[in-house]
Amino acid sequence: MNKVEQNKKAWSLLAEDHYNHYKAQFQEGKYHFNPIIQRELGDIAGKKVLHLQCNTGADSIFLAQMGAQVTGVDLVSDNIYFAGKLAKDLGVENVNFVTADIMELIDIHEGTYDIVFTSDGAIGWLPDLQRWAKTTRCFLSDEGFFYAHDAHPFFLSLDEEKIKQGIIEIKYPYFGHEPDEDETIGGYASEPKRAKNYFWMYTISGLVNSLVGAGLSLEYFREHDRCAPGMGGTTRDKEGLCYYPSLEGALPLAFSLKARVAKAKEDF
């Protein structure tokens, strides 16, 4: 079994737990969209949004509740099943879901979108950022934009246990080319499950250069000393974002970027 298929199998073990977790949060009024993302996206009412790596659809549904027409895509068929079920349970109709490997999406999906979107915990599961960036450009209208918010790769390179004590120590090589292999998965919206999985380190330069090479230009790149719950941090601020008090203002935990079309599709 190749690494992507192993990841697909691992994530499928979490799908029902994620569905139950997010359904309860929505129904109890406790589901909170990342406030950084919400501010930076602005008014998206009436926009067509393609959400890459949507998991079980919680953020896709929130984008739809903001007034967008949303298509969520995920590798794992169980995720897509429960995403559709969650949308139906919540009465959200302006969202649909597609099962697909992002690396193969160009071959099986058609259409263009005003916004291509990806959020927390997605990018490191991709084995090929250049293919990902070309996919993003393929589905983006010439007047649209791409938006991403995710864990900062420098933060991902650090020892996840020692950082809780304010100790900065490299555990995962920032310029590593081989994926990190883990024996468990989950923990932020599900109890951890035993399943082998693989995560690819990425660099800021690799990320940006992939997008530029695919015909996009950066409107902004921002770094944040806070991240979404489950992504790191030991303390929550008043907006619900997480940080390390001893490292507040000293360490980037997340980044966000917005990019627009610089080249027509026939030019790259």
Side-chain angles (χ1 to χ4, degrees), residues 120-132:
D120 302 314
I123 294 174
W125 300 99
L126 298 167
D128 185 345
L129 287 184
Q130 292 184 344
R131 178 69 174 174
W132 164 79

Side-chain angles (χ1 to χ4, degrees), residues 137-150:
R137 175 61 187 97
C138 177
F139 292 105
L140 192 59
S141 70
D142 288 346
E143 297 77 29
F145 67 85
F146 170 65
Y147 178 87
H149 183 286
D150 211 331

Side-chain angles (χ1 to χ4, degrees), residues 17-173:
D17 286 355
H18 283 190
Y19 159 75
N20 289 325
H21 173 83
Y22 290 118
K23 179 180 178 180
Q25 284 201 329
F26 272 108
Q27 291 180 332
E28 295 168 12
K30 295 179 180 179
Y31 183 77
H32 300 293
F33 197 50
N34 188 314
I36 295 173
I37 297 176
Q38 193 164 1
R39 283 193 295 269
E40 292 184 336
L41 283 181
D43 182 8
I44 61 171
K47 301 293 187 181
K48 288 181 61 182
V49 177
L50 180 65
H51 181 188
L52 303 180
Q53 296 167 273
C54 68
N55 198 271
T56 50
D59 279 0
S60 303
I61 289 167
F62 194 94
L63 293 169
Q65 291 176 331
M66 291 172 67
Q69 179 63 49
V70 182
T71 298
V73 181
D74 198 86
L75 170 72
V76 182
S77 59
D78 287 339
N79 281 349
I80 294 303
Y81 168 77
F82 283 110
K85 184 172 173 58
L86 182 60
K88 184 176 180 180
D89 292 343
L90 299 174
V92 178
E93 298 182 350
N94 52 319
V95 61
N96 64 88
F97 297 98
V98 176
T99 303
D101 184 341
I102 299 302
M103 300 295 106
E104 302 171 357
L105 188 61
I106 291 174
D107 300 324
I108 64 171
H109 189 65
E110 296 181 349
T112 57
Y113 294 82
D114 302 304
I115 302 168
V116 177
F117 171 88
T118 193
S119 61
D120 302 314
I123 294 174
W125 300 99
L126 298 167
D128 185 345
L129 287 184
Q130 292 184 344
R131 178 69 174 174
W132 164 79
K134 289 179 180 179
T135 300
T136 295
R137 175 61 187 97
C138 177
F139 292 105
L140 192 59
S141 70
D142 288 346
E143 297 77 29
F145 67 85
F146 170 65
Y147 178 87
H149 183 286
D150 211 331
H152 198 291
F154 179 70
F155 169 57
L156 293 175
S157 74
L158 303 178
D159 188 302
E160 58 269 64
E161 293 303 319
K162 291 184 178 180
I163 196 173
K164 296 175 184 177
Q165 306 164 32
I167 300 171
I168 303 297
E169 183 176 303
I170 300 293
K171 181 178 179 181
Y172 307 99

